[in-house]
Amino acid sequence: MAVAHSLGFPRIGADRELKKALEAYWKGDLAEAGLRDVGRRLRAAHWQAQAAAGIELLPVGDFAWYDQVLTHSLMFGVVPERFRDSHGQVTLDTLFAMARGATQGCCGGVQAQEMTKWFDTNYHYLVPEFSPDQAFTLSWTQLFEEVEEARALGHRLKPVLIGPLTYLWLGKAKGAAFDKLDLLERLLPLYGEVLDRLAAQGVEWVQLDEPILVLDLPQEWKSAFERAYNLLQRAPLKKLVATYFGGLEDNLGLAAGLPVDGLHIDLVRAPEQFPTILDRLPTYKVLSLGLVNGRNVWRCDLERALTVIEHAAERLGERLWVAPSCSLLHAPVDLEREDQLDPEIRSWLAFAVQKCAEVAVLARAAEQPDDPRVQAALQTSRAVQAARAASSRIHKPDVQARLAAVKPRHSQRQSPFAQRIEQQRARLNLPQFPTTTIGSFPQTGAIRLARQAFKQGKLALADYTEAMQAEIRHAVAVQEQLGLDVLVHGEAERNDMVEYFAEQLDGYAFTRFGWVQSYGSRCVKPAVIYGDLSRPAPMTVEWIRYAQQQTHKTMKGMLTGPVTMLMWSFTREDISREQQARQLALAIRDEVCDLEAAGIGVIQIDEAAFREGLPLRRAQWRAYLDWAVDAFRLCASGVRDDTQIHTHMCYSEFNDVIEAIAAMDADVITIETSRSQMELLEAFRAFDYPNDIGPGVYDIHSPRVPDTAEMVQLLEKASERIPAERLWVNPDCGLKTRAWPETEAALVNMVAAARQLRATH
Ligand code: GLN
Ligand code: ZN
């Protein structure tokens, strides 16, 4: 019988119970025992839900108080010195201090560990910090306790661990420079100890996640795999190595040959791995097929998956397992609760609980294809696929016709930058080192309350509009008083830079409870692209026009770009990401043109997620960058030469994508640079980046107000790399998370810094 298993389940809770409990605990409103109780109840409920859906082998170890990578750091004693109290005890508060920093308690005044994106997902993990003399000691027993817990509930279980190579890969060498791979020999005995202990608990199978096997790996890392797993082979329990988020490609032979008992592959992201894998896998090994997408919200096309299952069952028999493509951590919890979704759209969706049921059906089908439950599920699936393929809510001939008529010239401004900028300078008449901000001003409690009241129908549209206009008047008055050159309206009316636009586009749906963990207690609820996208009416024009009416200075229109809209949404699977980006581009293009027609001379199109979209494998970068750049150009190129297009990206590493950034051909790009002391501008200098640049001169993530001298010094550094006439002066990013007093104080200094530079250059 094919085994139905799951690689991991969302831990946050269908009602974000974990989020609420964590935040109450951090505030001091919930005691540790209460928090632990919530965790225990969630684990029990999640095992129960998976088992009820038909999952036979349940994941244990997918629960984490904050982040699963952090749990591993605790388990192995990878707790940097600054988090250790005088007794060397590792407690729940140590864990939270590592995650969030601490101002008091056990390790007062310490900075949290760094956080970064988990592969190409929107989940963020805490980066392990390794010192050259790093010792590893078993310091955290959560996993063993949870194994007992699941066992006591009568479940058949499979502990989940991050494999040793992936764990090391994710970490960072701190202190003296050294190769973290050198730590492997010291780390492996710990894995041995953990596995032995699990075996002693009666565990039969353990899952070791090695997603780095889908990356371009240096040769030393590839070689280390065999060494490591040869050593782990001794532990008396069976091991399943799990890979996901891509194809094994050049690592296929390596992964198939590891001395373990099973391999999981992601057939959603990399379907071409099947059937090749069948010929490469030793005949004693289990093959787990990831056929149900763990990263999206659509129902599985069971018929298509079944063709794979049938073929695999024939070859593998008992050795066939079925699973979601990756951990369900990246999917919302339960569709059952979506009582306000349009029924037609709802019928196309599956969240984590429903995905478990799909896995179970596929596993059953391997054994008994004629089982009535299998047949019924298959029939429903066929009906859903057919309905989607024919639905007029999805397929819009006018959108498709418009896309088909797009010509290369539509992605091309009328004149080259050198000519455009002359016309823009003549029109805008700005000083040297023009000052601006990135768009948002503080989202105060009053703003949020007004929006909430409006959404709940407690505040009339006219009153809400007046409240937002008052915010705009205030923001404009402050900016005029500060002496900024290019003003913004402040984005008070926006809840979120993607959702705000998605709500106004046709083809987007919204869930009520479709939360996915982003990091710690933070969750996001991405909008769902279900159909061809279009813009029925202008989205921002009235607000921006109103803002412009309040001032004689230049008002900058503010939009979110197509790539960022796409990256932060759940996307369609029936058409490519490229096509969806182009549809978004046309919708935004209309807005850009309407803003221009309303007399707006500067329009910023934010592409915060541009770099995030880069594929995991280098060989696929070119293709992505080509369509991503083109989508941006398509949305930005409908305007006259004297309309100035800005873009904004809130990071950092541009070295490897600078050519693409230049190809976007925005007249001005604003970027985050203050924390790197302008070193990030090096990429722009080395490439001879031709257009205007606004390197952020202060960090908006902290309430600290930098003084003028500090910003002058940064700008001087910038002007060593970029000609002064092409430099803008602005903060690193939007100011929505800041309060007004520190915002004004910092901007006063920023304007003063720009004036000083004008006087000396
Ligand atoms: N315009 C947005 C803001 O100022 C940009 C946010 C972002 O890049 N993340 O908030
Ligand atoms: Zn930003």
Side-chain angles (χ1 to χ4, degrees):
M1 174 76 185
V3 174
H5 75 121
S6 154
L7 306 194
F9 195 81
R11 48 186 162 253
I12 204 76
D15 218 11
R16 287 179 296 157
E17 292 91 335
L18 184 58
K19 170 198 178 66
K20 292 167 192 168
L22 284 169
E23 288 170 2
Y25 175 74
W26 295 333
K27 263 211 270 174
D29 292 346
L30 182 70
E32 178 170 335
L35 177 63
R36 289 192 178 277
D37 198 49
V38 171
R40 194 175 314 109
R41 273 186 283 144
L42 281 172
R43 290 190 294 272
H46 296 160
W47 288 322
Q48 180 53 40
Q50 293 173 85
I55 298 294
E56 297 156 280
L57 210 45
L58 300 172
V60 177
D62 52 348
F63 179 85
W65 292 111
Y66 201 96
D67 160 48
Q68 72 270 19
V69 180
L70 178 61
T71 312
H72 284 70
S73 293
L74 257 73
M75 174 154 72
F76 302 138
V78 183
V79 178
E81 206 49 53
R82 67 183 183 281
F83 301 109
R84 291 188 178 268
D85 67 7
S86 45
H87 319 287
Q89 288 288 328
V90 175
T91 66
L92 202 52
D93 288 331
T94 319
L95 186 152
F96 291 135
M98 289 167 75
R100 313 172 62 230
T103 47
Q104 52 189 19
C106 73
C107 12
V110 292
Q111 217 176 25
Q113 295 202 311
E114 223 177 283
M115 205 164 49
T116 195
K117 275 163 64 76
W118 175 248
F119 298 85
D120 57 357
T121 71
N122 283 327
Y123 177 80
H124 300 75
Y125 71 92
L126 284 148
V127 179
E129 286 177 28
F130 302 128
S131 60
D133 58 353
Q134 186 67 54
F136 298 99
T137 44
L138 197 53
S139 309
W140 191 248
T141 54
Q142 186 181 337
L143 180 63
F144 313 118
E145 288 150 22
E146 289 172 6
V147 164
E148 279 319 311
E149 205 176 286
R151 160 99 15 96
L153 293 167
H155 294 305
R156 207 181 140 205
L157 55 93
K158 173 196 59 178
V160 179
L161 283 165
I162 295 171
L165 275 312
T166 293
Y167 177 71
L168 279 183
W169 179 270
L170 296 174
K172 217 171 177 174
K174 289 270 164 119
F178 67 98
D179 184 355
K180 60 191 179 183
L181 192 53
D182 292 343
L183 301 176
L184 183 64
E185 316 313 315
R186 264 180 264 164
L187 175 61
L188 285 174
L190 253 284
Y191 271 89
E193 205 178 323
V194 171
L195 294 182
D196 283 343
R197 209 158 145 178
L198 291 172
Q201 286 183 290
V203 165
E204 186 193 355
W205 276 97
V206 66
Q207 171 186 324
L208 290 151
D209 285 3
E210 293 284 13
I212 64 166
L213 283 166
V214 310
L215 306 181
D216 299 317
L217 287 179
Q219 189 51 49
E220 318 85 80
W221 284 80
K222 294 187 188 191
S223 316
F225 263 95
E226 210 162 311
R227 217 161 67 230
Y229 281 85
N230 271 329
L231 268 165
L232 297 185
Q233 201 180 358
R234 289 190 212 124
L237 76 183
K238 292 185 195 155
K239 295 154 220 84
L240 174 83
V241 165
T243 66
Y244 40 80
F245 301 150
L248 289 162
E249 299 181 20
D250 55 327
N251 298 325
L252 181 76
L254 167 65
L258 288 177
V260 294
D261 310 273
L263 176 68
H264 170 86
I265 54 173
D266 182 342
L267 291 184
V268 173
R269 273 297 186 83
E272 70 284 352
Q273 302 188 92
F274 190 89
T276 324
I277 184 72
L278 293 177
D279 298 324
R280 305 290 293 274
L281 200 75
T283 52
Y284 65 88
K285 275 194 192 179
V286 158
L287 181 62
S288 163
L289 301 182
L291 285 163
V292 172
N293 195 348
R295 291 189 47 181
N296 212 332
V297 290
W298 306 107
R299 287 175 81 133
C300 178
D301 180 347
L302 292 179
E303 182 145 55
R304 195 158 75 184
L306 265 181
T307 59
V308 176
I309 291 282
E310 276 164 20
H311 182 177
E314 216 169 87
R315 288 279 295 271
L316 297 163
E318 295 277 289
R319 295 186 291 118
L320 170 63
W321 288 17
V322 186
S325 58
C326 60
S327 168
L328 295 168
L329 175 66
H330 312 288
V333 181
D334 192 358
L335 183 67
E336 229 10 81
R337 311 197 56 213
E338 297 294 337
D339 47 6
Q340 282 172 28
L341 252 183
D342 173 277
E344 189 181 357
I345 293 172
R346 191 179 189 274
S347 74
W348 302 331
L349 299 177
F351 292 177
V353 172
Q354 289 70 38
K355 286 172 188 293
C356 287
E358 291 178 331
V359 166
V361 163
L362 289 171
R364 188 172 301 127
E367 191 84 349
Q368 303 152 286
D370 301 326
D371 181 305
R373 282 169 296 181
V374 171
Q375 285 305 315
L378 196 56
Q379 212 170 355
T380 312
S381 176
R382 273 193 205 113
V384 164
Q385 298 306 323
R388 281 186 68 185
S391 171
S392 60
R393 321 250 329 245
I394 296 182
H395 309 280
K396 312 258 178 65
D398 47 334
V399 176
Q400 289 165 17
R402 190 174 172 206
L403 255 189
V406 168
K407 301 276 177 311
R409 71 181 154 81
H410 291 116
S411 302
Q412 185 75 46
R413 294 287 297 270
Q414 287 166 10
S415 309
F417 172 74
Q419 273 160 261
R420 299 195 309 260
I421 195 71
E422 290 310 323
Q423 297 191 42
Q424 292 162 16
R425 283 190 184 135
R427 174 180 180 189
L428 300 172
N429 197 19
L430 298 168
Q432 223 193 351
F433 300 104
T435 53
T436 190
T437 58
I438 305 304
S440 58
F441 275 115
Q443 277 269 333
T444 58
I447 295 176
R448 276 196 291 267
L449 279 179
R451 185 164 45 242
Q452 217 179 337
F454 173 57
K455 286 211 164 171
Q456 292 168 349
K458 291 179 191 154
L459 189 65
L461 174 62
D463 297 332
Y464 173 71
T465 306
E466 167 48 31
M468 293 302 116
Q469 288 178 342
E471 295 294 340
I472 291 176
R473 290 195 298 273
H474 175 242
V476 169
V478 170
Q479 294 173 86
E480 282 195 328
Q481 216 217 328
L482 288 165
L484 285 155
D485 300 306
V486 173
L487 312 195
V488 296
H489 78 298
E491 302 182 25
E493 80 289 5
R494 301 185 187 176
N495 40 351
D496 169 277
M497 64 185 286
V498 169
E499 199 179 12
Y500 178 75
F501 291 97
E503 280 173 350
Q504 300 185 73
L505 292 174
D506 265 0
Y508 261 108
F510 302 87
T511 63
R512 282 185 78 197
F513 304 102
W515 296 101
V516 178
Q517 189 176 19
S518 171
Y519 64 91
S521 69
R522 296 292 197 99
C523 301
V524 292
K525 188 157 65 69
V528 180
I529 300 177
Y530 69 87
D532 290 338
L533 295 156
S534 59
R535 185 202 70 146
M539 304 183 281
T540 65
V541 176
E542 278 319 308
W543 296 117
I544 305 297
R545 199 204 310 265
Y546 181 81
Q548 181 67 83
Q549 281 163 1
Q550 313 306 312
T551 180
H552 294 297
K553 292 213 161 176
T554 299
M555 179 58 57
K556 177 161 69 167
M558 196 59 57
L559 304 171
T560 300
V563 180
T564 302
M565 292 290 297
L566 188 76
M567 291 307 155
W568 292 348
S569 304
F570 283 118
T571 53
R572 288 168 70 175
E573 290 170 346
D574 58 334
I575 63 171
S576 66
R577 290 198 305 162
E578 170 178 0
Q579 278 172 288
Q580 293 170 74
R582 289 170 72 76
Q583 293 183 357
L584 286 162
L586 286 181
I588 297 161
R589 180 185 174 100
D590 292 343
E591 189 71 14
V592 171
C593 293
D594 283 349
L595 284 169
E596 178 182 68
I600 301 304
V602 178
I603 302 165
Q604 178 173 313
I605 307 167
D606 291 327
E607 281 292 23
F610 190 84
R611 199 176 197 288
E612 279 183 38
L614 280 175
L616 294 172
R617 292 274 192 173
R618 198 80 188 207
Q620 293 157 17
W621 279 26
R622 184 76 271 155
Y624 163 74
L625 288 171
D626 282 350
W627 66 252
V629 167
D630 195 68
F632 182 83
R633 294 176 60 120
L634 183 56
C635 82
S637 296
V639 290
R640 299 191 310 261
D641 283 344
D642 68 352
T643 295
Q644 187 166 68
I645 298 291
H646 289 215
T647 189
H648 165 69
M649 297 188 182
C650 19
Y651 44 82
S652 49
E653 293 153 57
F654 287 101
N655 276 311
D656 42 8
V657 290
I658 187 71
E659 202 182 331
I661 302 295
M664 288 167 72
D665 199 23
D667 297 308
V668 182
I669 183 171
T670 55
I671 55 176
E672 170 176 326
T673 35
S674 72
R675 284 184 289 186
S676 79
Q677 291 289 307
M678 298 284 155
E679 256 155 46
L680 298 165
L681 280 180
E682 197 41 38
F684 289 80
R685 189 202 59 77
F687 187 76
D688 262 331
Y689 181 84
N691 304 9
D692 283 13
I693 309 179
V697 295
Y698 80 87
D699 179 14
I700 54 85
H701 298 97
S702 122
R704 195 179 81 88
V705 174
D707 60 29
T708 301
E710 212 174 297
M711 293 194 249
V712 167
Q713 182 236 343
L714 284 176
L715 281 165
E716 291 289 0
K717 279 193 173 177
S719 65
E720 286 162 18
R721 297 189 166 97
I722 308 292
E725 64 274 15
R726 290 206 267 111
L727 276 177
W728 285 63
V729 178
N730 47 261
D732 268 347
C733 192
L735 298 160
K736 59 176 165 258
T737 56
R738 297 270 60 87
W740 273 109
E742 76 233 27
T743 296
E744 288 184 49
L747 290 177
V748 167
N749 295 350
M750 188 185 89
V751 170
R755 289 186 178 146
Q756 266 192 43
L757 258 91
R758 283 172 205 156
T760 53
H761 277 260

